Amino acid sequence: DARVTQTPRHKVTEMGQEVTMRCQPILGHNTVFWYRQTMMQGLELLAYFRNRAPLDDSGMPKDRFSAEMPDATLATLKIQPSEPRDSAVYFCASSTDTRSSGNTIYFGEGSWLTVV
Amino acid sequence: GESVGLHLPTLSVQEGDNSIINCAYSNSASDYFIWYKQESGKGPQFIIDIRSNMDKRQGQRVTVLLNKTVKHLSLQIAATQPGDSAVYFCAEKTSGTYKYIFGTGTRLKVLA
């Protein structure tokens, strides 16, 4: 059963600490998205990778957020330093090339982050 | 700007009845649409999709209807069950772009 795997599932951290979230996309998927979900904003796109290259990270606060794909099986989202307003659920999703119509994106179960 | 919106934030239905969840989209160039189900504490789960060259698509107990004239999408769930209780999102995309635009979600509550 192919699925997107995210770790950690839950994280509570103190303001100012570094947080790293990891994602393993579905094998064979070359497109990875990071989304943030809050009650107020819904699902917001943070970053988008295709073939490991970051093509769009305009949704991320550049001063504290960074996203990378060290290899095809691992995507990371890092927050340094974390702030209480970063508390949210962070979803990773993957797909085959979504530029073509009809390519569904599949979500992981999310990393639930609380910054106190 | 373009957006995908939902008419009703919460829908309550009796177990066994049919549910209809609606979604309005504003980008007439959108040509692919997906419905997701998100249960509490979980990630969005793909339910069904439809391309703009179709106006209806059926799955197991679910049907998606697309009305391009009025830019409206709906999800019909037959014989709603307690396990259908969740938040349902619609999403749209335009061919040649990579971004999906998500609606705000409708919460479906199934009453026993």
Side-chain angles (χ1 to χ4, degrees):
Chain A
D1 184 23
R3 63 182 67 186
V4 176
T5 303
Q6 291 186 245
T7 57
R9 288 296 319 278
H10 299 273
K11 176 74 174 179
V12 180
T13 191
E14 291 184 346
M15 182 174 61
Q17 296 298 306
E18 177 180 298
V19 176
T20 299
M21 290 167 275
R22 294 176 173 81
C23 168
Q24 181 176 13
I26 293 173
L27 187 64
H29 283 187
N30 68 338
T31 303
V32 174
F33 299 83
W34 282 105
Y35 286 92
R36 176 169 62 186
Q37 185 179 47
T38 62
M39 290 294 291
M40 296 300 294
Q41 300 294 331
L43 276 166
E44 302 174 89
L45 178 64
L46 297 177
Y48 159 72
F49 290 78
R50 176 155 41 91
N51 296 324
R52 295 176 55 200
L55 297 187
D56 185 352
D57 60 2
S58 59
M60 290 199 312
K62 297 293 189 300
D63 57 338
R64 299 184 300 108
F65 283 60
S66 61
E68 296 179 343
M69 280 199 75
D71 61 58
T73 64
L74 177 63
T76 62
L77 179 66
K78 186 178 297 186
I79 307 173
Q80 168 62 23
S82 58
E83 298 181 1
R85 59 179 168 154
D86 301 329
S87 297
V89 186
Y90 292 82
F91 287 106
C92 177
S94 74
S95 176
T96 52
D97 192 341
T98 60
R99 289 173 299 173
S100 301
S101 181
N103 288 330
T104 305
I105 59 173
Y106 296 90
F107 286 82
E109 296 288 58
S111 290
W112 300 68
L113 174 66
T114 301
V115 183
V116 297
Chain B
E2 288 139 1
S3 64
V4 176
L6 294 171
H7 296 306
L8 300 173
T10 303
L11 177 66
S12 297
V13 297
Q14 207 68 34
E15 182 179 355
D17 288 352
N18 297 334
S19 302
I20 300 176
I21 301 172
N22 297 303
C23 176
Y25 64 96
S26 57
N27 185 0
S28 57
S30 293
D31 59 3
Y32 181 58
F33 304 87
I34 306 175
W35 279 102
Y36 286 92
K37 172 186 181 183
Q38 186 174 19
E39 296 176 272
S40 181
K42 297 188 176 182
Q45 177 187 2
F46 170 86
I47 302 173
I48 192 167
D49 59 358
I50 189 167
R51 301 185 189 192
S52 59
N53 61 353
M54 303 172 69
D55 53 21
K56 180 180 180 179
R57 191 165 188 221
Q58 288 183 294
Q60 187 175 12
R61 279 201 309 118
V62 295
T63 301
V64 55
L65 299 177
L66 175 62
N67 186 331
K68 294 180 288 294
T69 302
V70 295
K71 289 182 284 188
H72 184 266
L73 190 71
S74 69
L75 177 70
Q76 299 179 1
I77 304 174
T80 311
Q81 301 170 359
D84 295 327
S85 293
V87 175
Y88 290 81
F89 295 93
C90 62
E92 62 167 328
K93 195 181 82 68
T94 303
S95 182
T97 68
Y98 58 86
K99 284 188 178 180
Y100 285 81
I101 300 172
F102 289 89
T104 54
T106 292
R107 182 174 300 280
L108 176 65
K109 292 185 177 180
V110 181
L111 308 173

